[in-house]
Structure formats: C-alpha cells, structure tokens
Coordinates of all heavy atoms in Angstrom, one line a residue:
L6 N 91.4 94.5 92.5 CA 90.3 95.1 91.8 C 89.2 95.5 92.8 O 88.7 94.6 93.6 CB 89.7 94.2 90.7 CG 88.5 94.6 90.0 CD1 88.8 95.9 89.2 CD2 87.9 93.5 89.1
V7 N 88.8 96.7 92.8 CA 87.8 97.2 93.7 C 86.8 98.2 93.0 O 87.3 98.9 92.0 CB 88.4 97.9 94.9 CG1 89.2 99.1 94.5 CG2 87.4 98.2 96.0
Q8 N 85.6 98.3 93.4 CA 84.7 99.2 92.8 C 84.9 100.6 93.4 O 85.5 100.8 94.5 CB 83.2 98.8 93.1 CG 82.8 97.6 92.3 CD 81.3 97.3 92.5 OE1 80.7 97.6 93.5 NE2 80.7 96.7 91.5
A9 N 84.6 101.6 92.6 CA 84.7 103.0 93.0 C 83.9 103.1 94.4 O 82.9 102.6 94.6 CB 84.1 103.9 92.0
G10 N 84.6 103.9 95.3 CA 84.1 104.0 96.6 C 84.6 103.0 97.6 O 84.3 103.2 98.8
G11 N 85.2 102.0 97.1 CA 85.7 101.0 98.0 C 87.1 101.3 98.6 O 87.6 102.4 98.5
S12 N 87.6 100.4 99.4 CA 88.8 100.6 100.1 C 89.8 99.4 99.9 O 89.4 98.3 99.6 CB 88.6 100.7 101.6 OG 87.7 101.7 101.9
L13 N 91.1 99.7 100.0 CA 92.1 98.7 100.0 C 93.2 99.2 100.9 O 93.4 100.4 101.2 CB 92.8 98.6 98.6 CG 92.0 97.9 97.5 CD1 92.7 98.0 96.2 CD2 91.8 96.4 97.8
R14 N 93.9 98.2 101.5 CA 95.1 98.5 102.3 C 96.3 97.8 101.7 O 96.3 96.6 101.6 CB 94.9 98.1 103.8 CG 96.1 98.6 104.6 CD 95.9 98.3 106.1 NE 96.4 97.0 106.4 CZ 96.8 96.6 107.6 NH1 96.8 97.5 108.6 NH2 97.1 95.4 107.9
L15 N 97.2 98.6 101.3 CA 98.5 98.1 100.8 C 99.5 98.0 101.9 O 99.5 98.7 102.8 CB 99.1 99.1 99.7 CG 98.1 99.5 98.6 CD1 98.9 100.3 97.6 CD2 97.5 98.2 97.9
S16 N 100.3 96.9 101.8 CA 101.4 96.7 102.7 C 102.7 96.6 102.0 O 102.8 96.1 100.8 CB 101.1 95.4 103.5 OG 99.9 95.5 104.2
C17 N 103.8 97.0 102.6 CA 105.1 96.8 102.1 C 106.0 96.2 103.2 O 106.2 96.8 104.3 CB 105.6 98.2 101.7 SG 107.4 98.2 101.2
A18 N 106.5 95.1 102.9 CA 107.4 94.4 103.9 C 108.8 94.6 103.5 O 109.2 94.4 102.3 CB 107.1 92.9 103.9
A19 N 109.6 95.0 104.4 CA 111.0 95.3 104.2 C 111.9 94.1 104.7 O 111.5 93.5 105.7 CB 111.5 96.6 104.9
S20 N 113.0 93.9 104.1 CA 113.9 92.8 104.5 C 114.9 93.2 105.5 O 115.7 92.4 105.9 CB 114.7 92.3 103.2 OG 115.5 93.3 102.7
M21 N 114.8 94.5 106.0 CA 115.6 94.9 107.1 C 114.8 95.8 108.0 O 113.7 96.2 107.7 CB 116.8 95.8 106.5 CG 116.4 97.0 105.7 SD 117.7 98.1 105.2 CE 118.1 98.9 106.7
S22 N 115.4 96.1 109.1 CA 114.7 97.0 110.1 C 114.5 98.3 109.4 O 115.4 98.9 108.8 CB 115.5 97.1 111.3 OG 115.0 98.1 112.2
I23 N 113.3 98.8 109.5 CA 113.0 100.2 109.0 C 113.1 101.2 110.0 O 112.8 102.4 109.7 CB 111.6 100.2 108.3 CG1 110.5 100.1 109.3 CG2 111.5 99.1 107.2 CD1 109.1 100.4 108.7
F24 N 113.4 100.9 111.2 CA 113.5 101.8 112.3 C 114.3 103.0 112.0 O 114.0 104.2 112.3 CB 114.0 101.1 113.6 CG 114.1 102.1 114.8 CD1 112.9 102.3 115.5 CD2 115.3 102.7 115.2 CE1 113.0 103.2 116.6 CE2 115.3 103.5 116.3 CZ 114.2 103.8 117.0
S25 N 115.4 102.8 111.3 CA 116.4 103.9 111.0 C 116.2 104.5 109.7 O 116.9 105.4 109.3 CB 117.8 103.4 111.2 OG 118.1 102.3 110.3
I26 N 115.2 104.0 108.9 CA 115.0 104.5 107.5 C 114.2 105.8 107.7 O 113.1 105.8 108.2 CB 114.3 103.6 106.6 CG1 115.1 102.3 106.5 CG2 114.0 104.2 105.3 CD1 114.4 101.2 105.6
R27 N 114.9 106.9 107.3 CA 114.3 108.2 107.6 C 113.0 108.4 106.8 O 112.0 108.9 107.3 CB 115.3 109.3 107.3 CG 114.8 110.7 107.7 CD 115.9 111.7 107.6 NE 117.0 111.4 108.5 CZ 118.1 112.1 108.6 NH1 118.3 113.1 107.8 NH2 119.0 111.8 109.5
N28 N 113.1 108.2 105.5 CA 111.9 108.5 104.6 C 111.5 107.3 103.8 O 112.3 106.6 103.2 CB 112.3 109.6 103.6 CG 112.6 110.9 104.3 OD1 111.8 111.4 105.1 ND2 113.8 111.5 104.0
M29 N 110.2 107.0 103.9 CA 109.6 106.0 103.2 C 108.3 106.5 102.5 O 107.8 107.5 103.0 CB 109.2 104.8 104.0 CG 110.4 104.1 104.7 SD 110.0 102.6 105.5 CE 109.8 101.5 104.1
G30 N 107.9 105.9 101.5 CA 106.7 106.4 100.8 C 106.1 105.5 99.8 O 106.6 104.4 99.6
W31 N 104.9 105.9 99.4 CA 104.2 105.1 98.3 C 104.1 106.0 97.1 O 103.8 107.2 97.2 CB 102.8 104.8 98.8 CG 102.7 103.7 99.8 CD1 102.7 103.9 101.2 CD2 102.7 102.3 99.5 NE1 102.6 102.6 101.8 CE2 102.7 101.7 100.8 CE3 102.8 101.5 98.4 CZ2 102.7 100.3 100.9 CZ3 102.8 100.2 98.5 CH2 102.7 99.5 99.8
Y32 N 104.4 105.4 95.9 CA 104.3 106.1 94.7 C 103.4 105.3 93.8 O 103.1 104.1 94.1 CB 105.7 106.2 94.0 CG 106.6 107.2 94.6 CD1 107.2 107.0 95.8 CD2 107.0 108.3 93.9 CE1 108.1 107.9 96.4 CE2 107.9 109.3 94.5 CZ 108.4 109.0 95.7 OH 109.3 109.9 96.2
R33 N 102.9 105.9 92.7 CA 102.1 105.1 91.8 C 102.4 105.6 90.4 O 102.9 106.7 90.1 CB 100.6 105.3 92.1 CG 100.0 106.7 91.8 CD 98.6 106.8 92.3 NE 98.0 108.1 92.0 CZ 96.8 108.5 92.4 NH1 96.1 107.7 93.2 NH2 96.4 109.7 92.1
Q34 N 102.1 104.7 89.5 CA 102.4 104.9 88.1 C 101.2 104.3 87.2 O 101.0 103.1 87.3 CB 103.7 104.4 87.6 CG 104.1 104.8 86.2 CD 105.5 104.6 85.9 OE1 106.2 103.8 86.5 NE2 106.1 105.3 84.9
A35 N 100.5 105.2 86.5 CA 99.5 104.7 85.6 C 100.1 104.6 84.2 O 101.1 105.2 83.9 CB 98.3 105.7 85.6
P36 N 99.5 103.8 83.4 CA 100.0 103.6 82.0 C 100.1 104.9 81.3 O 99.2 105.8 81.3 CB 98.9 102.7 81.4 CG 98.3 102.0 82.5 CD 98.3 102.9 83.6
G37 N 101.2 105.2 80.7 CA 101.5 106.4 79.9 C 101.8 107.6 80.8 O 101.9 108.7 80.2

C-alpha cells in the first residue's frame, strides 16, 4: 500500500536461470 506519488519496486525471482529466457515482462490485472 502506497500513497499517490509514491514508489515501489517489484521483484520476481525465477527458479531457473533467466539468462536464456528471451522475453520477460510484468502484467497487471485490476478487479473487473
């Protein structure tokens, strides 16, 4: 939870080496 104007850093840890993973990304889904 953060106030408007604030910052967050998201992290994603993979269980394998990502060196050879060509495409990675962040998606989001809001209710509805």
Side-chain angles (χ1 to χ4, degrees):
L6 174 64
V7 64
Q8 289 188 330
S12 299
L13 285 173
R14 187 175 83 154
L15 306 183
S16 299
C17 172
S20 62
M21 62 175 279
S22 171
I23 68 170
F24 180 80
S25 60
I26 299 178
R27 185 171 298 178
N28 295 310
M29 300 189 73
W31 288 96
Y32 288 71
R33 68 185 182 188
Q34 188 167 19

